[in-house]
Amino acid sequence: MFSKISESIKSAVGKIKFFDDEKSLKKALEELKKSLLKADVHHKVTKDLINEVYLETKKNGIGKDNFLKALQNALTAILTVEGPQGFVFSRKPPTVVLMSGLQGSGKTTTVGKLAYFLKQRNKKVLMVACDLQRLAAVEQLGQISKQIDVELFSDESGKKSIDIAREALERARSAHFDVVLIDTAGRLAIDEELMNELANLKTNLQPDEIFYVADSLTGQDAVRTAATFQERVGITGVVLTKFDGDTTGGVAIGIANQIQVPLRFVGVGEKMPDLEQFIPDRIVSRLLGAGDVESLAEKVSTVIDEKKAKELNKKIKKGGFNFNDFLEQMENVKKLGSMKSILGMIPGMSGMVSQLGDMDLENSKEMKQIRGMIMSMTKKEREDPELLTAGRKKRIAAGAGLSDQQVNRVLKQFKNASKMAKKFSGKKGLKNLQSMMGQMNAPSSKLNN
Ligand code: GDP
């Protein structure tokens, strides 16, 4: 996300040198202003931001470092409004969240994504199907429930949404659920009936949170509808979906400031792991090209067990990394979400994101070949790559529908990868990796001071 804005910020920063004059500051700000407006950041938000950066840079002395610092502060201020960040649990479980939004915004998908996000953090979640307006929504949530293995509360007997929600809450209380996510009815556009139904659910259920799910592709319309929901029902957070699409990103910069409700999550794809928390200072770090190592570490820790990671590290050091380990790690990578979203969090790599297009690592031809090969191996062969003699390789090639050369190539790649892993494992390896990352991150490393 934000690769376009991030690029133009970098270009503006590049226009300023140490001990520079007011003329070049104004030039840089003019460029920044143009690109923010082009990215659909609201004009008032843009004006305030530019003004703030101008005043602070001038106060501290015009130069690259001061400009960056001022920009960092002003962006953080714009993105931060009073209210919770990320997901907040109520003191007395279950935490009850009403999910609201217009039809097609991605509301039902987001219920699943949030449930998955919480499940990864070892929370017991109940999803409740109360979108009775769009008939397929109940079935859709049923499929998601099976896919992510999270319980669904639904009713087929024609009860009203308020009664279904009440019963779901009773179930959640008695069975000690941590979180209840209630999918509510959507409409094609805002209408009285929709607002009344939500207001009624709010009064009767007293939820801890009401999230408004908005489609970022609708640009400033997303902000306007969110403002109406805020006015009529009162919302505690916004989730912007489809941030992976052709969105310019401006809505995410301005929305919290414009409606004074925090942006809490961003949807970055159609799959269940494609949801990211929106934590302002981390986002600013990403906008300025300095990555978001904190979010990445958090994400990784939800899919990789620390004990297992240590064991694997030992194995790698001994050169014993085998095909089973490889398959398991591939599954873990899949759980992290799209390659694009991961790269965006790595310092210095954000620039690559826009060039990646729709690269789908897990479904690439190479990955399919590797998976096919491993599936054609015996249990023993998977545990010990050294067993693969010419005869065995021939059998595997036939089983996976590949040529001998293809099998040899993949095996060579696997051996090289194991060698690399060995090099980067252990304390010395970490140092190697850090120095590599440091070099990549050199232009923006000052921000971390
Ligand atoms: P609802 O009517 O608001 O419940 O909308 P759905 O949850 O059914 O979503 C509508 C469409 O948007 C579906 O095709 C989803 O897969 C898609 N969608 C939802 N969130 C995202 C997202 O973050 N990125 C992308 N690319 N598609 C999304």
Side-chain angles (χ1 to χ4, degrees), residues 315-320 416-426 429:
K315 216 169 173 183
I316 290 172
K317 256 197 249 171
K318 282 192 207 145
N416 286 341
S418 303
K419 266 193 220 147
M420 277 289 274
K422 202 172 164 187
K423 198 168 155 197
F424 285 126
S425 71

Side-chain angles (χ1 to χ4, degrees), residues 102-109 113 134 140 241-242 244 267-270:
L102 297 179
Q103 250 173 46
S105 62
K107 179 173 52 61
T108 305
T109 310
K113 285 181 181 176
R134 186 165 65 86
Q140 188 182 341
T241 61
K242 309 182 195 175
D244 50 308
V268 291
E270 292 188 74

Side-chain angles (χ1 to χ4, degrees), residues 45-313:
V45 176
T46 305
K47 201 173 137 210
D48 289 350
L49 182 99
I50 297 291
N51 204 24
E52 188 55 41
V53 178
Y54 173 72
L55 292 177
E56 202 183 315
T57 312
K58 257 191 87 167
K59 196 176 90 195
N60 297 324
I62 300 171
K64 197 173 195 156
D65 283 3
N66 286 341
F67 180 72
L68 265 175
K69 198 87 205 142
L71 186 55
Q72 186 180 20
N73 289 342
L75 277 169
T76 311
I78 291 277
L79 295 180
T80 314
V81 295
E82 205 176 309
Q85 293 185 350
F87 196 91
V88 177
F89 298 94
S90 91
R91 238 174 267 152
K92 196 168 152 254
T95 307
V96 179
V97 186
L98 278 188
M99 302 288 289
S100 67
L102 297 179
Q103 250 173 46
S105 62
K107 179 173 52 61
T108 305
T109 310
T110 306
V111 172
K113 285 181 181 176
L114 254 187
Y116 181 78
F117 173 90
L118 293 162
K119 189 186 166 193
Q120 296 284 87
R121 284 151 182 82
N122 297 320
K123 300 293 171 191
K124 192 173 168 189
V125 185
L126 184 65
M127 301 189 293
V128 190
C130 285
D131 182 355
L132 307 176
Q133 192 69 25
R134 186 165 65 86
L135 285 178
V138 180
E139 198 187 308
Q140 188 182 341
L141 215 47
Q143 281 166 6
I144 291 175
S145 152
K146 282 198 199 96
Q147 186 194 336
I148 62 174
D149 192 23
V150 166
E151 187 172 320
L152 173 73
F153 193 99
S154 63
D155 173 87
E156 310 271 314
S157 68
K159 279 186 190 140
K160 283 193 186 141
S161 57
I162 180 79
D163 295 321
I164 300 173
R166 271 210 198 98
E167 282 170 28
L169 280 196
E170 270 169 39
R171 153 117 190 97
R173 285 195 189 106
S174 63
H176 305 290
F177 277 82
D178 297 305
V179 181
V180 181
L181 302 175
I182 304 174
D183 192 16
T184 67
R187 291 287 192 287
L188 289 174
I190 288 175
D191 70 11
E192 282 304 307
E193 213 184 328
L194 168 67
M195 291 299 166
N196 290 339
E197 181 168 337
L198 266 177
N200 190 22
L201 282 169
K202 182 182 175 181
T203 315
N204 282 283
L205 304 176
Q206 298 285 316
D208 299 285
E209 302 258 22
I210 302 180
F211 283 176
Y212 178 70
V213 180
D215 180 342
S216 66
L217 294 176
T218 63
Q220 290 298 321
D221 253 354
V223 183
R224 274 188 285 275
T225 50
T228 310
F229 271 71
Q230 163 65 344
E231 226 173 84
R232 299 288 305 273
V233 194
I235 54 179
T236 57
V238 175
V239 181
L240 272 180
T241 61
K242 309 182 195 175
F243 223 77
D244 50 308
D246 267 340
T247 177
T248 46
V251 180
I253 306 273
I255 193 164
N257 190 274
Q258 287 171 266
I259 66 169
Q260 290 297 308
V261 174
L263 174 56
R264 308 283 287 276
F265 287 91
V266 174
V268 291
E270 292 188 74
K271 296 187 188 141
M272 290 296 117
D274 297 332
L275 183 75
E276 290 180 21
Q277 298 191 76
F278 194 91
I279 312 265
D281 45 2
R282 296 188 190 175
I283 297 291
V284 171
S285 171
R286 235 193 272 191
L287 276 169
L288 297 175
D292 178 2
V293 179
E294 241 172 299
S295 293
L296 183 64
E298 206 176 276
K299 232 179 171 168
V300 171
S301 72
T302 62
V303 298
I304 296 176
D305 182 77
E306 204 180 333
K307 209 173 122 209
K308 267 196 188 160
K310 273 193 188 141
E311 279 167 18
L312 189 63
N313 222 352

